[in-house]
């Protein structure tokens, strides 16, 4: 089965750039999405179709996807960005897969 | 504004069937390019896609759950439902319903969709 691999955790200082990676076989040939989840809340879409950002998401969130790696970048990270982040893609056109999640700590 | 709300029992006995319903407001279950899906998250773990139903009525399931999961739609009530049979403690999780959307797609393009609206989640515990 298809797998997406993320680092379990990442720590950054406020104002720094946070880069979260998601690796999978030929992931660049698929569309990647990213979701932010704060404790006790439902996930929220932050990046879709590799690079697109919903209108409600701040510009500091951006994405890329090439080769075997999709990347979520948060430029000028704020304390409110502390959350778990999950990547997601579709395998074999019809099977959804999520990464293991990355816990972002802003300290 | 689209709103999804899960409902169902919070406790299910082992070997029984888990049934959850998602009520949708602010959109039609027949809207073009939309899929309606279920995702679950065991305590402290990652998200797991269970399956989705398309606006055309086609269903798609996670291969690991396909034999136990059933998703159905009742457009008259603006609801879609999940049935998961023969549950065990490993099925204990928060269950989310969500819409996935595939813009500019002329057919069932599940692989081009993304989950743009989610319900708040419903905790289901499997225990005797």
């Amino acid at each position: 089965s298809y797998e997406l691999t993320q680092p379990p955790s990442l720590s950054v200082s406020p104002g720094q750039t946070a880069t979260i990676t998601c690796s999978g076989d030929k992931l660049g040939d698929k569309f990647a999405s990213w979701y932010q989840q704060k404790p006790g809340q439902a996930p929220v879409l932050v990046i879709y179709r590799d690079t697109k950002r919903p209108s409600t998401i701040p510009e500091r969130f951006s994405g890329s996807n090439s080769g075997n790696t999709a990347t979520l970048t948060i430029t000028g990270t704020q304390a409110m960005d502390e959350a778990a982040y999950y990547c997601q893609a579709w395998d074999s056109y019809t099977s959804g897969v999520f990464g293991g999640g990355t816990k972002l700590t802003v300290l | 504004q689209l709103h999804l709300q899960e409902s169902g029992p919070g406790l299910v006995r082992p070997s029984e069937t888990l049934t959850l319903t998602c009520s949708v407001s602010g959109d039609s279950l027949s809207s073009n390019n939309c899929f309606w899906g279920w995702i679950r998250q065991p305590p402290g773990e990652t998200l797991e896609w269970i399956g989705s139903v398309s606006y055309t009525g086609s269903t798609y399931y996670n291969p690991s759950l396909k034999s136990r999961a059933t998703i159905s739609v009742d457009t008259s009530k603006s609801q879609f439902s999940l049935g998961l049979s023969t549950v065990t403690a490993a099925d204990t999780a928060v269950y989310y319903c969500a819409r996935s959307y595939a813009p500019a797609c002329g057919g069932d393009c599940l692989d081009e969709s993304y989950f743009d609206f989610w319900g708040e989640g419903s905790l289901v515990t499997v225990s005797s």
Side-chain angles (χ1 to χ4, degrees), chain B:
Chain B
Q1 178 74 351
L2 180 61
H3 182 73
L4 297 91
Q5 179 69 59
E6 304 89 352
S7 60
L11 179 65
V12 181
R13 306 295 184 193
S15 80
E16 294 186 343
T17 296
L18 177 163
T19 302
L20 291 170
T21 297
C22 183
S23 299
V24 178
S25 59
D27 194 8
S28 167
L29 292 177
S30 302
S31 293
N32 287 348
N33 305 329
C34 291
F35 301 81
W36 307 92
W38 290 94
I39 299 105
R40 69 181 183 179
Q41 186 173 36
E45 298 186 23
T46 187
L47 301 161
E48 179 181 32
W49 174 74
I50 299 171
S52 297
V53 57
S54 77
Y55 67 105
T56 65
S58 298
T59 51
Y60 307 86
Y61 296 103
N62 187 323
S64 69
L65 296 169
K66 184 175 182 178
S67 63
R68 298 196 294 129
T70 303
I71 296 175
S72 59
V73 176
D74 186 338
T75 54
S76 66
K77 295 182 178 180
S78 199
Q79 295 177 337
F80 63 103
S81 298
L82 169 68
L84 187 65
S85 64
T86 323
V87 298
T88 69
D91 295 309
T92 293
V94 174
Y95 286 75
Y96 296 99
C97 60
R99 185 186 85 164
S100 63
Y101 179 57
C105 173
D108 271 8
C109 305
L110 185 63
D111 62 316
E112 296 185 17
S113 70
Y114 46 89
F115 296 101
D116 57 351
F117 288 93
W118 296 65
E120 63 183 21
S122 177
L123 174 61
V124 178
T125 300
V126 178
S127 175
S128 57

Side-chain angles (χ1 to χ4, degrees), chain A residues 43-65:
Chain A
V44 173
L45 178 71
V46 295
I47 294 290
Y48 64 98
R49 291 198 162 193
D50 300 336
T51 62
K52 300 188 183 304
R53 183 174 38 82
S55 60
T56 56
I57 301 303
E59 291 184 7
R60 62 181 180 274
F61 288 84
S62 63
S64 64
N65 187 14

